[in-house]
Amino acid sequence: MNQNELKKSLSKLPLGLGDVRYFDSIGSTNSEALAWSAGGAKDLSLVIADEQTAGRGRLDRKWFTPRGTALAFSLILRPSAKEKPHLTRIVGLAALAVADSLRTRGLVAQIKWPNDVLLDGRKVAGILVESVWSGVEVDYVVIGVGLNVLKGAVPSAELLQFPATSLEESLGPGVERGKVLRDILAGILALRPHIGTDSFIAAWEKMLAFRDEQVQVEGGSETPMTGKLLGLESDGSLKLSSEDGKSVTVRFGDVRLRRQA
Ligand code: ATP
C-alpha cells in the first residue's frame, strides 16, 4: 500500500477523517499518534504504516508488522464530554469494528477479551488503546490496530503465546488492505455515537469468544482465576461465575484470557 492507494480507499469513507500521516516504515504507529496528540492533533487523525519496526502490544509486549503484509494504524480520538464516561468501552469499539469488518467478508470473527480478534480460535488482530491525560481529564485516546492480512504477517510460533492467523488464510489471495482499513474505520465511525448505549455492550458481548465456557484468567503474578464466562459488565469488564457459583468481575489490566485446559 502506498500513500495514493491509501487516499483512494479513505476518500470513500462515509464521514470525514482528520489528517492522515502515512509511513512506509515506522517504529510504532501508536507512539507517533501519542506524540501527534501532544502536539494538538485533530479528532479522527490517522497514522498508518506499511511496516512497524517496534510495534507494541500491552505492557512491553511486541506486535509484529512485517512490510507489505498487514494493517497497522492508530486513530486519534478527542473524546467528547458525552464519551468521557465510557473510555473503558473504546477497546470494545475497536474490537467490534474489526470483527464486523471480517464478518461482512463471511468470516466468523470473535473477540478474545479484552483486546484481540480471533478467526477460527487464532489471533488475527490486536488492539492497543492508550490515553493522554491532563490531570484527571482525558485529552486524547489513541486506538492502535494491528491486523494480519497476508500470511507473511503471521509471526513464527516460537514468538507467540497464542496461535495466530491471517485474513489470507481464510479468504485466499487477493485481500486488499485498503478496503479492509476503510471498512474498519467506517465501523468505528458508525459505532462511536452508540458507545454509551446498552445495545453497544450487547453487541460486544455477542462477539465474545469462549462465552458460557470455562476460562482461565492469568493476571501478573497472581494465581490464575477460573470460571464460566458469562459476559460483560457495563464498563466492559468481564463477568465470570466461579466454581462455587459466585459472580466475579475481571477488570482491565494485565490479564490474559484462555480457555481452561
Ligand atoms: P495473549 O494474546 O497471549 O493473550 P495479550 O493479549 O496480552 O496476550 P497483546 O499485548 O495484545 O497480548 O499482544 C502482544 C502479543 O501478541 C505478543 O506477545 C505476541 O505473542 C503476539 N503477537 C505479536 N505480533 C503478532 C501478530 N502479528 N499476530 C498475532 N500475534 C502477535
Side-chain angles (χ1 to χ4, degrees):
M1 184 166 34
N2 59 38
Q3 190 132 18
N4 287 340
E5 283 171 61
L6 180 68
K7 286 217 170 106
K8 215 169 102 197
S9 313
L10 297 183
S11 67
K12 293 186 192 129
L13 273 175
L15 290 167
L17 281 175
D19 298 327
V20 179
R21 288 187 181 172
Y22 171 82
F23 297 85
D24 283 330
S25 181
I26 198 172
S28 145
T29 57
N30 258 39
S31 298
E32 172 70 20
L34 288 171
W36 191 6
S37 299
K42 283 194 274 189
D43 186 49
L44 294 177
S45 296
L46 179 72
V47 178
I48 173 151
D50 190 37
E51 173 189 51
Q52 289 189 109
T53 54
R56 297 187 282 114
R58 296 185 301 156
L59 298 149
D60 276 336
R61 289 171 205 140
K62 291 187 168 57
W63 186 266
F64 300 97
T65 312
R67 184 182 290 269
T69 60
L71 274 179
F73 66 88
S74 298
L75 183 68
I76 298 171
L77 304 186
R78 291 207 71 166
S80 65
K82 228 173 108 194
E83 289 168 336
K84 284 183 183 178
H86 305 296
L87 295 182
T88 53
R89 294 184 176 200
I90 289 180
V91 65
L93 173 73
L96 260 177
V98 172
D100 283 344
S101 76
L102 305 185
R103 288 195 172 227
T104 57
R105 290 172 165 77
L107 304 173
V108 184
Q110 289 189 307
I111 298 170
K112 181 166 85 70
W113 185 92
N115 68 323
D116 297 318
V117 178
L118 308 182
L119 273 184
D120 296 328
R122 292 182 289 161
K123 203 196 280 196
V124 71
I127 290 151
L128 177 66
V129 175
E130 296 181 295
S131 318
V132 181
W133 297 76
S134 290
V136 293
E137 280 286 302
V138 72
D139 272 346
Y140 289 97
V141 177
V142 170
I143 300 177
V145 176
L147 171 71
N148 301 331
V149 179
L150 304 183
K151 289 179 185 168
V154 178
S156 55
E158 67 270 14
L159 295 169
L160 300 174
Q161 317 258 358
F162 193 89
T165 189
S166 64
L167 268 184
E168 189 183 23
E169 263 165 77
S170 298
L171 292 177
V175 188
E176 284 183 51
R177 285 186 290 167
K179 286 196 178 144
V180 182
L181 171 70
R182 190 192 64 211
D183 290 350
I184 297 172
L185 292 172
I188 292 176
L189 293 170
L191 284 165
R192 186 177 181 187
H194 307 286
I195 195 163
T197 63
D198 292 344
S199 59
F200 174 86
I201 289 285
W204 183 3
E205 207 167 43
K206 220 169 120 195
M207 293 272 196
L208 289 180
F210 316 136
R211 260 189 106 181
D212 294 322
E213 292 183 38
Q214 284 295 125
V215 294
Q216 181 164 321
V217 182
E218 300 158 9
S221 55
E222 287 166 39
T223 334
M225 208 183 311
T226 56
K228 186 156 113 181
L229 196 157
L230 299 181
L232 297 170
E233 304 285 356
S234 75
D235 66 351
S237 302
L238 194 66
K239 213 162 45 180
L240 304 183
S241 119
S242 67
E243 263 136 53
D244 54 7
K246 284 204 190 99
S247 164
V248 182
T249 302
V250 184
R251 305 209 178 275
F252 298 99
D254 181 19
V255 287
R256 297 175 133 180
L257 182 65
R258 298 285 183 269
R259 184 181 271 129
Q260 201 177 344

